[in-house]
Amino acid sequence: MIEKEFIFNYPLAAELIKNGKVSWQSPSNIALVKYWGKTEPQIPKNTSISFTLSNCFTTTSLIYIPKKAPSKTVDFKVIFEGKENEAFKPKIKSFFERIAVYVPFIQNYEFEIHTQNSFPHSSGIASSASGMSALALCLMSIEKNLNPETSETYFLKKASFLSRLGSGSACRSVEGPLVVWGKHPNIYGSNDQYGIKYPADLHPVFETFQDCILLVDRGVKQVSSTVGHGLMTDHPFAEARFKQAQDHIVKMIEVLKKGDLDTFVEIVEKEALSLHAMMMSSDPYFMLMKPNTLKIIEKIWNFRKKSKTHICFTLDAGANVHILYPDKDKELVNNFIINDLIGLCDNNQYIYDEAGLGASPL
Ligand code: PMV
């Protein structure tokens, strides 16, 4: 059992339980082959692979103060962008409950979680990947203070493992520029418990890949990703979808090795549309794309034909469009975005981002 390796069982000397503060910055990520469908506890039904981003990140400081007497509860306050926030508490509470077996020392402290995002609040950009991974990394810094023998490799592995228990895709935010999560026979070391840095040959074009995020709709999603994953359980196309993702990974390995951008574009767009096709054929069905999502996609297709660039789109569980393109096409694509696409965004909002190397301590 891989999980056993993550249970903290270092003797906890009383003098080590003192107060302190740890801080991490952790980025968001964008999947190329998507994770949609899981079993308990956050075990993915298929392998996924993502670019770790750079500019969209969460910064979290965790202040920890020893409790007067240890108890089974985890006591904490959340301060989001400088203000106490009650709305985030239930998700963090269940995260703490879920991970207590692996980091039992959390029951010795009261916590203050100070957190903020680099991207605008309610922009439709999910902050669960960056937020949960930043918090998991802070907990690992406490673990390392308690057990200085913790190795760098174990630290990152367990941070990803804990992140996954907070939000599945969060386990892909710890390292970069490409991370794989979910067991695949063709990727050495891949597993369902934590994300690993893509271990095979990677063409340099993918180290500097660009991602411009077009903020199409800032509204609250009508269906959460938790509900969406759940609807894959009895989905009539589920097995075919999981097989499609596994097959896409096989093709993607060759693409990433050779820098084959034509096939890259094809797989990435097929993945985005398959994800949304699953939503549109769930019971009950739902749709997260908006009219402007489709308008943007059509414009991207026309521009790609005309410009002969390797621009493509992908989508998360929402209406926003991620435009992916190689660094060398930056100027041409950025002009296209400004001239033709910004007008289709909510309040003309967009964010330039690019592949990044993962989280960093502050
Ligand atoms: O990590 P969750 O449970 O929010 O699921 C994320 C799912 C997608 O963003 C739609 C796809 C992915 O692989 O990131």
Side-chain angles (χ1 to χ4, degrees):
M1 280 293 260
I2 289 188
E3 292 95 321
K4 278 219 173 113
E5 135 185 31
F6 295 120
I7 297 176
F8 180 87
N9 61 5
Y10 191 77
L12 249 196
E15 69 271 16
L16 285 175
I17 315 262
K18 49 189 178 194
N19 53 353
K21 179 179 170 183
V22 285
S23 305
W24 278 85
Q25 174 178 309
S26 191
S28 186
N29 67 72
I30 180 69
L32 305 172
V33 174
K34 309 285 181 183
Y35 146 63
W36 197 243
K38 61 177 173 181
T39 52
E40 273 296 309
Q42 313 269 69
I43 298 297
K45 286 293 219 169
N46 62 263
T47 312
S48 58
I49 183 164
S50 52
F51 271 132
T52 305
L53 298 180
S54 280
N55 301 334
C56 290
F57 57 81
T58 298
T59 307
T60 298
S61 289
L62 189 60
I63 298 175
Y64 52 102
I65 304 154
K67 280 183 193 165
K68 302 230 163 31
S71 60
K72 288 275 168 222
T73 59
V74 184
D75 302 335
F76 67 98
K77 252 197 227 167
V78 185
I79 294 104
F80 177 64
E81 292 177 348
K83 279 200 209 106
E84 193 160 352
N85 184 303
E86 288 296 320
F88 291 156
K89 280 189 89 171
K91 196 161 183 197
I92 297 177
K93 182 170 180 279
S94 43
F95 173 56
F96 280 143
E97 284 165 2
R98 212 168 211 189
I99 62 171
V101 57
Y102 304 106
V103 282
F105 54 82
I106 60 176
Q107 291 165 349
N108 292 290
Y109 300 104
E110 279 169 23
F111 293 109
E112 255 183 43
I113 306 166
H114 292 256
T115 186
Q116 59 197 54
N117 297 329
S118 65
F119 44 90
H121 186 46
S122 65
S123 57
I125 297 187
S127 58
S128 58
S130 53
M132 283 298 174
S133 53
L135 183 54
L137 284 152
C138 287
L139 293 170
M140 282 311 295
S141 286
I142 301 179
E143 173 162 331
K144 190 165 168 71
N145 290 342
L146 296 170
N147 175 10
E149 285 164 28
T150 308
S151 72
E152 173 78 10
T153 316
Y154 180 81
F155 186 104
L156 295 174
K157 213 156 80 165
K158 184 166 172 182
S160 173
F161 170 82
L162 295 176
S163 304
R164 185 200 103 231
L165 294 171
S167 172
S169 59
C171 76
R172 299 190 311 238
S173 280
V174 173
E175 295 181 89
L178 276 163
V179 174
V180 178
W181 170 43
K183 193 168 175 46
H184 195 288
N186 298 19
I187 301 182
Y188 178 76
S190 61
N191 71 90
D192 292 343
Q193 304 289 338
Y194 54 88
I196 58 163
K197 192 171 153 172
Y198 183 65
D201 292 344
L202 184 64
H203 190 281
V205 71
F206 297 112
E207 283 167 9
T208 55
F209 232 71
Q210 305 292 303
D211 178 7
C212 179
I213 309 162
L214 303 182
L215 308 181
V216 173
D217 185 58
R218 293 182 299 166
V220 175
K221 274 190 284 181
Q222 98 241 38
V223 179
S224 70
S225 60
T226 310
V227 172
H229 283 290
L231 293 174
M232 286 303 283
T233 306
D234 295 316
H235 197 295
F237 308 141
E239 288 314 314
R241 162 60 200 149
F242 303 143
K243 181 175 182 313
Q244 179 193 43
Q246 296 310 87
D247 293 347
H248 279 162
I249 294 279
V250 175
K251 287 195 179 141
M252 196 50 112
I253 294 169
E254 276 310 294
V255 164
L256 294 176
K257 182 171 159 183
K258 296 192 178 131
D260 171 0
L261 293 175
D262 288 326
T263 315
F264 178 82
V265 162
E266 207 180 296
I267 299 175
V268 167
E269 293 192 344
K270 207 183 278 177
E271 275 291 314
L273 294 179
S274 278
L275 168 71
H276 284 257
M278 289 303 110
M279 300 175 188
M280 287 154 67
S281 48
S282 294
D283 186 9
Y285 50 84
F286 62 103
M287 196 192 285
L288 298 180
M289 290 187 285
K290 296 284 177 193
N292 281 356
T293 312
L294 298 185
K295 282 190 189 153
I296 289 169
I297 292 174
E298 202 173 8
K299 280 182 184 275
I300 290 173
W301 283 345
N302 289 336
F303 176 79
R304 182 162 71 224
K305 223 189 230 160
K306 254 193 354 225
S307 66
K308 309 237 175 323
T309 55
H310 288 94
I311 176 177
C312 67
F313 73 87
T314 189
L315 307 166
D316 254 342
N320 294 337
V321 182
H322 287 248
I323 306 188
L324 301 178
Y325 47 103
D327 188 44
K328 68 170 171 51
D329 293 335
K330 207 161 151 178
E331 207 182 315
L332 207 60
V333 173
N334 290 358
N335 282 337
F336 161 62
I337 291 171
I338 307 253
N339 295 331
D340 292 14
L341 301 182
I342 299 309
L344 294 166
C345 297
D346 195 348
N347 257 324
N348 295 336
Q349 282 195 83
Y350 62 101
I351 299 171
Y352 284 124
D353 212 329
E354 59 189 341
L357 294 179
S360 42
L362 297 173

